[in-house]
């Protein structure tokens, strides 16, 4: 199917515009068709919302809908909670409704976001306290027991995945922390080693300078006791190392008697050389007795 265009090459809307009539857009034409179809489907007693509001001729009409007041009131009457037989009103415990306990302040408007939420929270808290008081008076259990356990809404499989993910995050955090500590320890050890090497190099340089000075002094003055000066230099070097911890006399005696470190097994076993050596044997010395008799 094609669109019919007159012989002049212009559409009917354009022709209407050329005659002085206003041109209507496609959306206006579609809205008018929908409104005409809705009017044709109306039943007796039905009307279109917003009709007859005194709109100006050039004003655009708002979106409209069908309002069936009798049916709405009938449905409200059907879903309304009925008063039980023999009672004057609906029991409060069936509705748990708290109305009119606290009114909205006059200064609070819909634009006051935080203030409005705070007001709602205060009203709800007051209503909950009043409802809790009424339930306690009516002896209706409304408190959670101390040994109450809520049922999990998530399955065990999902909770296992959650725990697995949390454990994986903890493992990654621990790896990062260990790596950071290791880097800090390596950096500290490297700095300590560097300082120690620098100290040793400084001591060595100082000793070499002292020895060089001793040599120059020995060449210039031959009447001086050069050995004593050299011993003083070496003693000075040994005194620098005296700051290190020393072994006690008891420990030194034990090390001298039993040894320390190294191989302990077969330490007192004889070999060929020790077997032929009688220098430390008590029988190596000749007796002072005469003849073959026993010595005195």
């Amino acid at each position: 199917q094609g669109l019919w265009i007159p012989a002049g090459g212009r559409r009917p809307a354009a022709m209407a515009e050329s005659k002085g009539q206003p041109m209507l857009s496609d959306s206006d034409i579609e809205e008018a068709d929908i409104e005409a179809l809705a009017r044709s489907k109306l039943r007796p007693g039905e009307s279109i919302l917003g009709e007859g509001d005194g709109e100006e001729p050039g004003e655009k009409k708002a979106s409209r809908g069908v309002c069936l007041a009798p049916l709405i009131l009938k449905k409200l009457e059907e879903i309304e909670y009925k008063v039980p037989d023999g009672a004057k009103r609906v029991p409060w415990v069936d509705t748990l409704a708290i109305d009119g306990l606290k009114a909205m302040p006059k200064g609070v408007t819909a634009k006051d976001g935080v203030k409005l939420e705070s007001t709602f929270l205060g009203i709800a808290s007051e209503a909950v306290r009043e409802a809790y008081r009424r339930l306690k008076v009516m002896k209706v259990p409304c408190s959670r027991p101390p040994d109450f356990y809520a049922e999990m809404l998530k399955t065990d499989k999902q909770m296992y995945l959650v725990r697995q993910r949390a454990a994986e995050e903890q493992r990654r955090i621990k790896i990062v922390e260990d790596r950071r500590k290791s880097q800090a320890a390596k950096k500290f050890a490297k700095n300590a080693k560097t300082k120690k090497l620098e100290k040793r190099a400084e001591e060595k340089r100082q000793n070499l300078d002292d020895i060089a000075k001793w040599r120059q002094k020995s060449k210039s003055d031959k009447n001086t006791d050069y050995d004593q000066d050299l011993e003083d230099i070496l003693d000075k070097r040994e005194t620098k190392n005296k700051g290190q911890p020393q072994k006690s006399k008891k420990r030194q005696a034990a090390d001298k008697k039993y040894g320390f470190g190294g191989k302990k097994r077969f330490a007192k076993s004889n070999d060929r050389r020790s077997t032929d050596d009688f220098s430390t044997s008590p029988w190596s010395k000749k007796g002072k007795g005469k003849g073959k008799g026993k010595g005195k």
Side-chain angles (χ1 to χ4, degrees), residues 15-276:
M15 294 174 62
E17 184 180 2
S18 62
K19 294 180 180 179
Q21 298 177 0
M23 183 180 64
L24 298 177
S25 61
D26 295 338
S27 61
D28 296 336
I29 296 173
E30 184 178 359
E31 185 178 355
D33 294 340
I34 293 173
E35 185 178 351
L37 179 62
R39 288 181 181 279
S40 63
K41 298 291 184 179
L42 289 177
R43 297 178 182 178
E46 296 180 351
S47 61
I48 297 177
L49 291 178
E51 195 174 30
D53 293 341
E55 295 178 348
E56 297 181 1
E59 186 180 356
K60 186 177 179 180
K61 295 182 180 180
S63 58
R64 298 171 180 177
V66 177
C67 177
L68 302 177
L71 293 179
I72 292 176
L73 295 175
K74 183 179 179 181
K75 182 60 66 176
L76 180 62
E77 185 179 356
E78 290 177 0
I79 64 176
E80 186 180 5
Y81 195 85
K82 306 299 184 198
V83 178
D85 297 337
K88 296 181 180 180
R89 56 184 176 83
V90 178
W92 175 81
V93 73
D94 292 346
T95 59
L96 298 177
I98 305 292
D99 297 333
L101 188 63
K102 186 177 179 181
M104 287 284 296
K106 295 182 179 180
V108 180
T109 61
K111 295 182 180 180
D112 300 333
V114 178
K115 194 173 181 180
L116 186 63
E117 290 181 5
S118 177
T119 306
F120 286 161
L121 181 61
I123 294 174
S125 300
E126 290 290 337
V128 169
R129 280 193 286 268
E130 177 63 21
Y132 188 78
R133 186 190 64 80
R134 294 183 184 182
L135 291 173
K136 293 290 285 185
V137 170
M138 298 170 66
K139 297 182 180 181
V140 177
C142 55
S143 298
R144 179 181 296 178
D147 58 346
F148 178 80
Y149 291 95
E151 184 180 357
M152 293 296 296
L153 297 179
K154 297 180 180 178
T155 60
D156 294 340
K157 183 177 180 181
Q158 189 174 1
M159 290 304 299
Y160 175 76
L161 295 176
V162 172
R163 287 194 296 267
Q164 185 178 9
R165 183 176 180 182
E168 180 66 18
E169 291 180 357
Q170 292 293 332
R171 187 184 69 85
R172 292 182 180 181
I173 292 173
K174 188 175 182 300
I175 289 175
V176 173
E177 292 293 336
D178 293 344
R179 187 183 305 164
R180 188 179 303 167
K181 291 180 181 178
S182 178
Q183 290 177 357
K186 286 181 180 179
K187 188 176 181 181
F188 177 77
K190 187 176 180 181
N191 294 336
K193 186 176 181 181
T194 303
K195 290 180 180 179
K196 191 174 182 180
L197 292 176
E198 289 177 356
K199 186 177 180 181
R200 287 182 180 178
E202 183 65 25
E203 291 177 358
K204 184 177 180 180
R205 193 181 306 110
Q206 185 68 29
N207 292 330
L208 292 177
D209 293 342
D210 293 342
I211 293 173
K213 292 178 182 179
W214 172 79
R215 286 179 179 176
Q216 292 177 1
K217 189 176 180 181
S218 63
K219 290 180 181 180
S220 60
D221 190 1
K222 296 182 179 181
N223 298 326
T224 310
D225 190 0
Y226 306 113
D227 296 335
Q228 184 66 28
D229 295 340
L230 184 59
E231 288 179 2
D232 294 340
I233 294 172
L234 297 178
D235 291 341
K236 187 187 298 182
R237 181 182 178 185
E238 291 178 359
T239 53
K240 291 181 179 179
N241 298 330
K242 283 185 179 179
Q244 299 178 358
Q246 300 292 333
K247 293 182 179 180
S248 63
K249 292 183 178 181
K250 186 177 180 181
R251 181 71 264 174
Q252 292 177 4
D255 291 344
K256 185 178 181 180
K257 184 176 181 180
Y258 301 107
F260 54 93
K263 187 178 179 181
K264 299 289 192 303
R265 193 176 182 185
F266 305 119
K268 296 184 179 181
S269 299
N270 287 332
D271 54 5
R272 182 177 179 182
R273 184 176 179 182
S274 63
T275 304
D276 296 339

